[in-house]
């Protein structure tokens, strides 16, 4: 780190910008207008930096050694194609949801006098927490170090717990306590896995793990891998670790639910992907377990969705169900499968967030999220109907939208692999898609087509400040179809680099040299005469 | 170069086991404060595990500080433990806040039932088809309110006997 502004400077920005902005907004809690400007600027800058990273990382991963200590000793941030892509999509999403929540806050400020404050967000706490969440997400995506990934998880866990219990109403405290306990248990499992991995290999650096784990005894390795996957599986809401999700998400304010649905589970999926591709060598037993889990996640999730009568809960169950598609792609353990999974994650972040935002609008306009108390919205709010219809069909995978393309990628690869389990997954995917269509069409029929019950006001409008960001996100989902070719190509290159793992390791350890061989032992052994510069990447004969 | 002996100490390993075991027991309890204690215990157990993973204790890991032949402890494990202690502290505060809020609202800090649990219980009681909105039924309480009132520790306080197991058989619409 010579202080020169080079392209690597971009890498820590997605973590630092929101974190500093969070501090600023907290200090300026008395000035909501200033807070809004800071938040929007910080997230816009983050998104811009991430988009730049997408372009730069296409020619090879960027590595920054935080604090100037080189990789196995210090913590490094690695921006490869996968991280950059995830960062950009989540940045766009975070920005849209922030604008939406501002629209809602402004509108609710107006409505406060008329007694309609059900979802009011205490802005003073909301902004810093939201920005900390963004920083935690970025840290998790960029981390090249298992322990730093854990820290990222904890940052976003703390932030998400605060967002989930905003206002401290009875139902949010109930949902929040379940969420917090489950998340804490997952964190403890993750930390235990880190301790055991450190005991087995003497490192927690992902690139170094990629080099050392193949030499670990296969039985021990299997235990380590399963423990990590268990922790990530809770985060990603993979069945049977998914029961907490549909219970805790729907009670939060609409923008918060949208962020959680779009992002938090995807971080779990991302971590599973990293575990399966970069760190651990391919293990068929684990792949098989993941395939079965993916199948069950899809089917149990979507059957749960079909039985729901509340739009928010229905969507939460489809969220669980569609995690199965991503795990399916990862568990195929082929390049094309991983590529399809990456594309699907991008698609699903945009579409699921858009749907939750639109449902927030439906609740605003219709006064409820229960399908029995909604109706006639197609006539009363045609634009809103369109905004719901497009991402709903996208979620179900109607051609030519991005959901269809992602599913085609997964199914093609499933058929090509052709094992009995892969075929079962193919059949399960098709069934899940049809049931998704059934679930969203049911929501559509009841909320938009059935005769409006008397509770639904015939007059009224949806604030434009909320409509526009939701519309932008829907449009973004459609854009994914337009740019599907290049995007899919990018996902394929990201998958190829992940499966191979060499470029990742080489970026972290230039020259392909594992500088930290036996690091933990060496530290213990070299006592006085060790020069830090030597460890931090000084030259060796 | 002297290499530290890496065989873990049995006392530490036993301590990890005891802490995690009691922690899991507490984590499975209903009140949030006990869950929190369980979390803290397991957290300490896992921290000890990290310590064990770092090898045996040696001289303080400051270059130039140790006598020449004495091996240093592994500083990385200690750095990780410190970080995780701080994180545990922050999360403890968070859970305490939620527990306190829950106590303010309900007079107890038990984790309430899943809303879905309540729905199943209510529908079992009514023997109603699943596609009707359970929240729209005539009891006047939302599922959330009901979930908050039904709790384990004082099962006798259960207002209308609607625990999941005891569905009345003579409710309206009970044709099978």
């Amino acid at each position: 780190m010579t202080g020169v502004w080079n392209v690597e400077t971009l890498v820590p920005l997605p973590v630092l910008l929101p974190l500093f902005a969070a501090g600023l907004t907290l200090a300026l809690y008395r000035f909501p207008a200033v807070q809004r400007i800071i938040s929007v600027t910080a997230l816009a800058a983050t998104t811009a930096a991430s988009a730049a990273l997408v372009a730069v990382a296409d020619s090879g991963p960027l590595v920054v050694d935080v604090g100037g200590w080189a990789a196995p000793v210090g913590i490094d941030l690695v921006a490869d194609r996968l991280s950059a892509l995830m960062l950009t999509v989540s940045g766009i999403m975070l920005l849209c949801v922030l604008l939406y929540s501002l629209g809602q806050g402004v509108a609710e400020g107006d409505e406060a006098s008329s007694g309609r404050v059900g979802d009011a967000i205490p802005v003073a706490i909301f902004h810093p927490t939201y920005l900390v969440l963004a920083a935690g997400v970025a840290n998790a995506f960029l981390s090249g170090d298992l322990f730093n990934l854990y820290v990222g998880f904890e940052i976003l866990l703390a932030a998400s717990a605060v967002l989930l219990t905003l206002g401290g109403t009875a139902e949010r405290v109930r949902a929040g306590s379940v969420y917090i306990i489950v998340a804490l248990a997952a964190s403890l499992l993750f930390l235990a896995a880190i301790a055991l991995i450190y005991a087995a290999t003497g490192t927690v650096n992902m690139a170094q793990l990629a080099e050392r784990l193949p030499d670990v005894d296969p039985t021990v390795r299997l235990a380590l891998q399963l423990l990590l996957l268990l922790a990530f599986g809770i985060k990603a809401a993979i069945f049977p670790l998914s029961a907490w999700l549909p219970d805790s998400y729907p009670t939060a304010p609409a923008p918060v639910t949208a962020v959680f649905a779009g992002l938090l589970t995807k971080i779990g999926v991302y971590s599973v992907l990293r575990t399966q591709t970069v760190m651990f060598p391919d293990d068929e037993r684990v792949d098989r377990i993941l395939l079965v889990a993916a199948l069950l996640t899809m089917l149990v999730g979507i059957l749960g969705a079909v039985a729901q009568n509340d739009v928010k809960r229905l969507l939460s169950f489809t969220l669980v169900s569609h995690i199965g598609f991503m795990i399916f792609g990862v568990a195929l353990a082929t390049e094309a499968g991983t590529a399809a999974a990456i594309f699907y994650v991008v698609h699903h972040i945009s579409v699921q967030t858009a749907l939750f935002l639109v449902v927030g609008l439906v609740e605003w306009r219709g006064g409820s999220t229960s399908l029995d108390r909604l109706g006639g919205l197609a006539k009363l709010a045609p634009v809103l109907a369109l905004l719901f219809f497009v991402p709903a069909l996208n979620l179900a995978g109607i051609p030519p939208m991005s959901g269809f393309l992602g599913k085609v990628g997964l199914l093609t690869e499933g058929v090509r692999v052709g094992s009995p389990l892969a075929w079962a997954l193919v059949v399960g995917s098709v069934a899940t898609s049809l049931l998704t269509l059934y679930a969203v069409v049911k929501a559509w029929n009841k909320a938009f087509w059935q005769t409006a019950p008397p509770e639904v006001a015939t007059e009224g409008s949806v604030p434009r400040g909320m409509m526009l960001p939701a519309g932008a996100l829907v449009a973004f989902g459609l854009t994914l179809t337009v740019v599907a070719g290049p995007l899919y190509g990018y996902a394929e290159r990201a998958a190829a680099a992940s499966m191979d793992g060499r470029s990742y390791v080489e970026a972290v350890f230039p020259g392909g040299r594992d500088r930290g061989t036996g690091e933990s032992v060496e530290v213990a052994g070299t006592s006085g005469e060790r020069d830090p510069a030597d460890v931090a990447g000084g030259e060796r004969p | 170069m002297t290499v530290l002996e890496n065989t873990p100490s049995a006392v530490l390993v036993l301590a990890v086991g005891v802490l995690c075991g009691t922690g899991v027991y507490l984590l499975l309890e209903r009140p949030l404060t006990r869950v929190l204690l369980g979390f803290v215990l397991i957290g300490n157990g896992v921290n000890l595990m990290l310590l064990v993973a770092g090898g045996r204790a040696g001289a303080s890991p400051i270059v130039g500080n140790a006598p020449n032949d004495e091996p240093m402890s592994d500083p990385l494990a200690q750095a990780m433990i410190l970080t995780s202690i701080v994180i545990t502290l922050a999360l403890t505060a968070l859970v305490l806040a939620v527990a306190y809020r829950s106590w303010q609202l309900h007079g107890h800090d038990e984790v309430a039932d899943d809303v879905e649990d309540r729905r199943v219980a209510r529908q079992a009681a009514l023997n109603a088809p699943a596609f009707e909105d359970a929240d729209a039924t005539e009891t006047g309480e939302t599922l959330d309110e009901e979930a908050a009132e039904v709790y384990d520790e004082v099962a006798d306080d259960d207002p209308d006997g609607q625990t999941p197991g005891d569905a009345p058989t003579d409710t309206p619409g009970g044709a099978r």
Side-chain angles (χ1 to χ4, degrees):
Chain A
M1 295 295 103
T2 48
V4 182
W5 287 83
N6 49 17
V7 72
E8 264 94 19
T9 319
L10 282 173
V11 178
L13 283 187
V15 185
L16 293 181
L17 282 176
L19 215 49
F20 280 128
L24 266 181
T25 48
L26 191 61
L28 297 171
Y29 73 99
R30 281 170 191 279
F31 310 98
V34 185
Q35 276 192 328
R36 287 188 197 118
I37 295 170
I38 294 174
S39 307
V40 173
T41 318
L43 285 184
T46 307
T47 312
S50 314
L53 276 178
V54 169
V56 181
D58 203 14
S59 49
L62 297 176
V63 181
V64 167
D65 299 318
V66 182
W69 286 74
V73 176
I75 288 171
D76 54 344
L77 296 180
V78 185
D80 63 352
R81 293 190 186 91
L82 178 58
S83 309
L85 190 61
M86 293 288 123
L87 274 177
T88 310
V89 180
S90 51
I92 293 171
M93 192 218 86
L94 282 164
L95 190 60
C96 283
V97 175
L98 179 69
L99 293 173
Y100 177 95
S101 73
L102 291 183
Q104 184 174 359
V106 170
E108 255 157 20
D110 302 339
E111 297 275 337
S113 49
S114 63
R116 189 172 165 187
V117 284
D119 250 4
I121 296 173
V123 181
I125 319 160
F126 177 74
H127 283 269
T129 321
Y130 192 79
L131 289 166
V132 168
L133 182 80
V137 167
N139 192 29
F141 281 144
L142 282 172
S143 174
D145 182 289
L146 266 188
F147 194 77
N148 195 22
L149 181 64
Y150 166 75
V151 174
F153 271 16
E154 295 305 299
I155 295 175
L156 65 88
L157 157 64
S160 60
V162 174
L163 287 177
L164 202 56
T165 51
L166 270 183
T169 60
E171 56 173 2
R172 283 185 195 162
V173 167
R174 179 191 63 74
S177 45
V178 172
Y179 172 81
I180 294 173
I181 293 169
V182 173
L184 287 182
S187 302
L188 288 172
L189 285 173
F190 188 12
L191 194 61
I194 289 176
L196 294 176
I197 286 175
Y198 188 64
T201 62
T203 184
V204 287
N205 183 287
M206 290 187 194
Q208 209 170 17
L209 283 174
E211 295 195 328
R212 289 190 186 174
L213 277 171
D215 302 331
V216 173
D217 177 61
T219 321
V220 176
R221 197 173 63 211
L222 181 68
L224 297 177
Q225 192 170 5
L226 289 180
L227 193 53
L228 265 189
L229 288 179
L230 192 61
F232 296 150
I234 298 177
K235 297 275 177 198
I238 301 171
F239 182 84
L241 310 168
S242 59
W244 58 274
L245 191 146
D247 189 44
S248 53
Y249 279 14
T251 52
V256 172
T257 314
V259 175
F260 286 13
L263 267 189
L264 298 196
T265 48
K266 306 308 180 299
I267 291 166
V269 174
Y270 165 86
S271 311
V272 170
L273 214 161
R274 277 269 189 251
T275 314
Q276 288 298 96
T277 56
V278 174
M279 282 190 277
F280 284 83
D282 194 25
D283 187 332
E284 247 183 49
R285 294 170 292 180
V286 180
D287 291 341
R288 239 175 283 145
I289 294 174
L290 277 181
L291 279 175
V292 173
L295 181 62
L296 292 175
T297 310
M298 284 180 194
L299 293 178
V300 173
I302 202 61
L303 290 176
V306 165
Q308 291 304 315
N309 226 318
D310 178 297
V311 195
K312 278 185 170 181
R313 294 181 66 84
L314 187 149
L315 286 179
S316 301
F317 273 102
T318 64
L319 167 62
V320 172
S321 164
H322 285 239
I323 296 294
F325 282 98
M326 300 161 213
I327 301 300
F328 174 27
V330 176
L332 284 173
T334 60
E335 263 182 47
T338 312
I342 295 173
F343 184 84
Y344 204 88
V345 172
V346 173
H347 144 77
H348 198 253
I349 289 180
S350 71
V351 74
Q352 194 79 48
T353 313
L355 272 173
F356 270 106
L357 287 187
V358 174
V359 165
L361 294 175
V362 168
E363 189 179 7
W364 179 278
R365 181 64 186 81
S368 170
T369 53
S370 167
L371 287 175
D372 287 341
R373 297 178 203 172
L374 286 171
L377 286 177
K379 199 179 265 175
L380 295 173
V383 184
L384 185 57
L386 184 70
L387 285 186
F388 180 83
F389 194 65
V390 171
L393 289 189
N394 198 348
L395 183 73
I398 299 296
M401 287 186 259
S402 52
F404 171 72
L405 299 172
K407 280 174 183 135
V408 165
L410 286 171
L411 295 184
T412 319
E413 188 55 18
V415 170
R416 199 191 64 76
V417 168
S419 64
L421 205 50
W423 272 106
L425 259 294
V426 169
V427 175
S429 308
V430 174
T432 307
S433 303
L434 288 175
L435 285 172
T436 309
L437 188 62
Y438 169 72
V440 292
V441 164
K442 179 179 115 174
W444 166 262
N445 282 345
K446 288 199 167 182
F448 294 91
W449 268 358
Q450 78 179 352
T451 326
E455 298 100 280
V456 178
T458 44
E459 299 290 312
S461 64
V462 179
R464 190 165 296 170
M466 291 160 79
M467 192 79 107
L468 281 179
L473 212 50
V474 172
F476 174 69
L478 287 179
T479 320
L480 290 182
T481 308
V482 181
V483 298
L487 183 63
Y488 212 98
Y490 197 87
E492 272 171 352
R493 290 197 296 283
S498 293
M499 296 300 289
D500 183 24
R502 265 190 317 232
S503 64
Y504 189 94
V505 175
E506 264 170 35
V508 178
F509 301 115
R513 186 180 51 187
D514 183 355
R515 284 170 302 183
T517 314
E519 190 59 44
S520 62
V521 182
E522 238 176 64
V523 171
T526 47
S527 70
E529 70 267 340
R530 206 166 64 131
D531 179 7
D534 187 24
V535 191
E539 71 286 342
R540 264 183 208 180
Chain B
M1 127 175 153
T2 347
V3 174
L4 267 184
E5 197 201 341
N6 263 328
T7 329
S9 133
V11 178
L12 283 182
V13 173
L14 273 179
V16 171
V18 170
L19 283 174
C20 288
T22 42
V24 167
Y25 181 81
L26 283 172
L27 207 57
L28 295 175
E29 290 280 314
R30 214 65 193 267
L32 263 178
T33 33
R34 287 187 209 171
V35 170
L36 175 66
L37 288 176
F39 165 69
V40 172
L41 282 182
I42 303 182
N44 286 338
V46 173
N47 285 344
L48 271 185
M49 202 149 103
L50 269 169
L51 193 69
V52 175
R56 289 211 165 178
S60 60
I62 300 172
V63 176
N65 205 26
N68 260 353
D69 51 343
E70 197 184 339
M72 288 194 289
S73 308
D74 180 0
L76 187 55
Q78 299 182 10
M80 291 198 279
I81 293 169
L82 277 178
T83 315
S84 86
I85 288 175
V86 174
I87 290 174
T88 311
L89 174 73
L91 293 179
T92 305
L94 183 74
V95 177
L96 275 178
V98 174
Y100 180 65
R101 180 67 187 154
S102 169
W103 179 78
Q104 273 186 329
L105 288 167
H106 308 300
H108 64 88
D109 65 345
E110 274 202 14
V111 178
D113 272 352
D114 190 317
V115 175
E116 209 65 25
D117 269 7
R118 284 288 94 213
R119 188 200 307 280
V120 171
R122 197 184 266 185
Q123 274 166 357
L126 298 172
N127 212 349
F131 49 81
E132 268 170 27
D133 183 6
D135 247 0
T137 47
E138 65 287 341
T139 55
E141 276 183 305
T142 66
L143 288 170
D144 262 306
E145 286 159 4
E146 198 175 302
E149 272 171 31
V150 180
Y151 57 106
D152 263 14
E153 296 284 296
V154 200
D156 299 340
D157 281 359
D158 193 351
D160 26 57
Q162 278 193 4
T163 41
D166 58 5
T169 45
D170 54 347
T171 42
R176 282 164 200 263

